[in-house]
Amino acid sequence: MKKMLTMAVVLAASLLSLCACSSTDPPADPGEAPLQSWYKTDAYTLLLPQGFAAQEGEDGAVTLSLDGQAVGGVQVVPYPNAAGFLDTVGAASEDSRDSGKELMRQLSPEERLAYMMTVSEDGTYLEISCSPDTPDVTPEEETMHYLFPQGDQFYDLYFQAGPVSADQQQSMAKGFALHP
């Protein structure tokens, strides 16, 4: 019986060794940076591409940086029936335009902005491209907002369009998930 138990232990150790050696994943290089990382809060999870970092401030807003430079963030924007607002985007009614103006005042109360709103292809968030409403605007002054509704608020994932490419923005918008 003792000999059988010893053989079982040796067999189990051999199988574990064989499994460990047959992994198809290359060994991780400790000096190699990951291509993506996850940033998690109690309210949401965000996929960050390589070079991006997230830092939560005292007010709960999150600052996103790319290679050490602040390029955007995540903030909560109070808005009654945020999910219902997505259904009104694109309507040619005066109420819809007034609601859009009110939302823009929430996003940037100190500036007069030119903006364009669309609902994402999958209908889950609002995309807003905005820039100062002046004749000599450069593309670097454009800010992109991706607003995810939850109850009476939006989670606003926003970027300076100059330093953050459209692909990086879309990657993060698709990698943003609200927790129930």
Side-chain angles (χ1 to χ4, degrees):
M1 181 71 153
K2 189 174 181 183
K3 190 173 184 179
M4 259 186 165
L5 185 57
T6 303
M7 290 212 28
V9 169
V10 169
L11 180 61
S14 298
L15 285 174
L16 285 174
S17 171
L18 182 60
C19 289
C21 293
S22 67
S23 172
T24 59
D25 295 334
D29 178 357
E32 188 176 304
L35 296 178
Q36 302 179 65
S37 63
W38 292 98
Y39 180 77
K40 296 179 182 183
T41 71
D42 290 341
Y44 61 87
T45 301
L46 173 62
L47 181 62
L48 299 172
Q50 184 176 11
F52 282 85
Q55 172 119 22
E56 187 169 355
E58 291 179 18
D59 62 355
V62 171
T63 300
L64 297 173
S65 56
L66 174 61
D67 299 327
Q69 294 291 107
V71 293
V74 181
Q75 64 183 349
V76 175
V77 178
Y79 197 86
N81 189 18
F85 179 77
L86 267 64
D87 297 332
T88 68
V89 173
S93 71
E94 190 171 323
D95 287 344
S96 176
R97 284 189 296 276
D98 289 344
S99 295
K101 288 177 185 176
E102 176 57 33
L103 179 57
M104 293 309 298
R105 279 192 286 275
Q106 289 275 14
L107 294 176
S108 187
E110 70 282 351
E111 291 186 52
R112 183 181 158 132
L113 300 172
Y115 63 91
M116 185 170 75
M117 279 185 207
T118 56
V119 176
S120 65
E121 288 181 15
D122 63 3
T124 59
Y125 59 91
L126 185 63
E127 297 177 20
I128 303 176
S129 166
C130 61
S131 58
D133 194 10
T134 58
D136 56 346
V137 174
T138 63
E140 291 77 29
E141 294 177 281
E142 183 181 22
T143 303
M144 291 298 301
H145 294 265
Y146 300 86
L147 291 109
F148 297 83
Q150 188 174 61
D152 286 337
Q153 62 191 13
F154 283 106
Y155 283 85
D156 177 20
L157 171 65
Y158 63 93
F159 306 100
Q160 297 169 355
V164 182
S165 73
D167 287 344
Q168 291 169 321
Q169 292 174 36
Q170 287 298 314
S171 172
M172 284 189 269
K174 291 178 181 175
F176 187 93
L178 291 169
H179 301 170

